[in-house]
Amino acid sequence: MDSILVKGNGPLSGQIPIAGAKNACLTLMPAALLSEEPLTLTNAPRLSDIKTMTQLLQSLGAEVTALQDGQVQAMSGHGVNSTHADYDIVRKMRASNLVLGPLLARFGEAEVSLPGGCAIGARPMDLHIHGLEAMGAEIELKDGYLHAKVPGGLKGAKIELAFASVGATENIVMAATLAKGTTVLKNAAREPEIVDLCDCLRRMGAQIEGDGSPTITIQGVDRLNGATHPVVTDRIELGTYMLAPAICGGEVELLGGRIDLVASFCEKLDAAGISVSETKNGLTVARKNGRVNAVDVTTEPFPGFPTDLQAQMMALLCTAEGTSVLEEKIFENRFMHAPELTRMGANIEVHGGTATVHGVEQLKGAPVMATDLRASVSLILAGLAAEGETLVSRVYHLDRGYEQVVRKFSGVGAHIERITS
Ligand code: EPZ
């Protein structure tokens, strides 16, 4: 297993290009199952999760070709000859469950393994099931698989989600594009990745409005066409790299950064004493002066503070002036980076979904272990600010969501290298 060695750093400067969004791509790729014609995604990120989704679609018989070094994913739902999404693939990546809605819509049946829990939580699918059953699907759990069928075809329905689940919104919207009649989805997730999916589905001929608001209305159509769609910028990668100059000092420009994708995150950076300004190529971030201020953070569905940036923000707040309280409201177990940061001298108390971070003057480098995707990069950020060397192990977590990490950080002056075991 590879590790990443980070040395404490002085101020950073330069530019970091931001890739296409992993979490948009992981719902856009299954959308190809909705059409016989090819769907081409440009600006796709080159990540192991995208490779996993490619394997899954290919296991169903879809053709998926990675062009231009993976930045273009050309897919076709034409050759699909199976509706069985195997546990072996699904257990590696929860987003595999996003083939459920498209398979039901196009083929009237699906057999999708339950993903099982992951490091950050149980990750149930009750909201997905509730929505699809409202549209006429019969879904039974057997041998760890969801066996779904809809003999008479999906019908439009009025659905209200108990929680604004991103995945449930995506599965229901994709299913509704080919249902007979109109579907009104209330308390829908409002993430930019949802809007990007709906933009792509509209290019394919779907009739959708209200995405980005709590109520999405989908008018079912008989078939969808192929399309070419650019994947939206990755707001989580963007926020992650914005924290590098915030933690180390200096000034870095994030190419392709869009302030509308990270508005609530920027409010917290501003309160912490970090300046963010828009440029013609993206966003520039600089630390104003001295130590950052402590700030309180509560994670919420978009447009609130993103749970996927909580671990990274905690790394910044470890050396803030004062005490910060972070409340994780989305997942039940998303503070596994805290004990690793404590090994670096951070002073963090975790009680249930609340972490209290007492800022310290200086973190100290140490060997630490990545436990999940976002925790892994928060340890690298902490290592950039620490005195001495930090060795982050199990970086396969990192490869799921961050392409060319060493190159991007070293491009702005960080002393970082990957050690292949
Ligand atoms: C998506 O996961 C993202 N993944 C996650 O990013 C992100 O953290 C999450 O949305 C929240 O923003 C992808 O888009 C591939 P949810 P998803 O359904 O769809 C509970 C990363 O680091 N819930 O909004 O699975 C669930 O247990 C990953 O890139 C139910 O109870 O998130 C969780 O507590 C991590 N029943 C909460 O809702 C359900 O049927 C949010 O889940 C569905 C969800």
Side-chain angles (χ1 to χ4, degrees):
M1 280 188 269
D2 290 6
S3 302
I4 283 189
L5 182 67
V6 194
K7 292 195 180 103
N9 245 90
L12 302 175
S13 71
Q15 298 177 322
I16 298 178
I18 301 301
K22 165 181 86 80
N23 290 348
C25 209
L26 290 176
T27 187
L28 290 165
M29 291 175 76
L33 298 171
L34 291 164
S35 169
E36 286 267 328
E37 295 170 21
L39 171 64
T40 299
L41 300 176
T42 57
N43 192 36
R46 290 161 286 201
L47 302 167
S48 59
D49 269 9
I50 304 305
K51 290 199 177 78
T52 305
M53 182 59 80
T54 297
Q55 285 165 4
L56 175 60
L57 295 180
Q58 288 172 336
S59 75
L60 299 173
E63 290 148 47
V64 185
T65 318
L67 310 168
Q68 290 171 20
D69 188 21
Q71 278 218 300
V72 174
Q73 294 290 334
M75 296 152 291
S76 163
H78 178 66
V80 171
N81 53 23
S82 161
T83 58
H84 174 88
D86 198 77
Y87 175 59
D88 236 11
I89 299 180
V90 176
R91 68 181 171 78
K92 280 192 282 186
M93 184 183 65
R94 170 180 167 76
S96 307
N97 63 16
L98 294 172
V99 300
L100 178 59
L103 288 174
L104 265 182
R106 178 97 183 282
F107 303 102
E109 61 174 25
E111 202 178 87
V112 177
S113 166
L114 269 183
C118 72
I120 61 176
R123 315 293 294 272
M125 284 187 64
D126 53 310
L127 301 175
H128 300 240
I129 293 165
H130 161 74
L132 295 169
E133 283 179 337
M135 298 169 74
E138 294 160 17
I139 302 178
E140 187 198 354
L141 174 63
K142 211 167 64 186
D143 318 322
Y145 282 79
L146 292 178
H147 294 262
K149 58 181 189 302
V150 54
L154 291 170
K155 290 181 183 51
K158 288 192 181 348
I159 302 164
E160 177 144 10
L161 290 177
F163 174 83
S165 155
V166 170
T169 299
E170 291 164 344
N171 253 328
I172 293 165
V173 165
M174 288 192 282
T177 58
L178 295 177
K180 286 183 188 53
T182 302
T183 298
V184 179
L185 178 59
K186 288 189 179 311
N187 197 26
R190 301 167 58 189
E191 276 68 4
E193 294 74 35
I194 303 281
V195 174
D196 200 43
L197 170 65
C198 292
D199 283 343
C200 177
L201 291 168
R202 279 187 283 263
R203 285 174 200 266
M204 295 169 74
Q207 292 179 22
I208 305 173
E209 53 190 36
D211 42 297
S213 84
T215 303
I216 303 179
T217 303
I218 308 104
Q219 177 63 44
V221 295
D222 294 338
R223 61 186 299 279
L224 292 180
N225 315 310
T228 296
H229 176 78
V231 178
V232 69
T233 302
D234 191 324
R235 63 194 170 97
I236 305 303
E237 189 195 29
L238 171 61
T240 301
Y241 285 115
M242 288 171 77
L243 284 167
I247 284 184
C248 292
E251 180 170 302
V252 171
E253 183 178 25
L254 294 312
L255 303 177
R258 281 173 36 191
I259 200 114
D260 63 307
L261 296 175
V262 285
S264 58
F265 175 67
C266 288
E267 281 167 23
K268 292 298 177 183
L269 288 188
D270 182 53
I274 307 299
S275 85
V276 179
S277 45
E278 293 183 85
T279 67
K280 63 179 176 22
N281 299 316
L283 299 176
T284 289
V285 177
R287 190 159 83 184
K288 291 169 189 163
N289 45 34
R291 279 173 74 181
V292 298
N293 312 318
V295 293
D296 294 342
V297 170
T298 299
T299 64
E300 295 170 308
F302 194 88
F305 189 99
T307 174
D308 293 349
L309 285 173
Q310 176 260 108
Q312 301 90 312
M313 190 70 180
M314 187 184 285
L316 173 70
L317 297 174
C318 285
T319 55
E321 185 113 44
T323 294
S324 309
V325 176
L326 290 95
E327 286 204 275
E328 174 53 63
K329 294 276 193 195
I330 306 294
F331 289 104
E332 59 267 36
N333 184 32
R334 206 170 194 179
F335 287 137
M336 287 171 295
H337 41 286
E340 300 303 311
L341 291 167
T342 303
R343 286 176 50 75
M344 300 174 70
N347 181 350
I348 306 170
E349 298 156 43
V350 173
H351 297 290
T354 301
T356 303
V357 182
H358 305 283
V360 297
E361 283 276 343
Q362 177 71 52
L363 293 178
K364 303 247 180 317
V368 289
M369 187 177 78
T371 49
D372 60 84
L373 166 55
R374 307 302 175 181
S376 54
V377 79
S378 81
L379 298 173
I380 291 178
L381 288 168
L384 288 175
E387 199 174 71
E389 293 188 347
T390 298
L391 186 66
V392 182
S393 61
R394 302 193 176 183
V395 292
Y396 58 83
H397 290 292
L398 204 59
D399 297 333
R400 294 190 53 184
Y402 291 93
E403 64 172 62
Q404 300 173 317
V405 169
V406 171
R407 191 163 145 203
K408 291 190 176 188
F409 273 125
S410 43
V412 290
H415 301 113
I416 180 173
E417 60 180 300
R418 186 173 186 125
I419 298 170
T420 305
S421 57

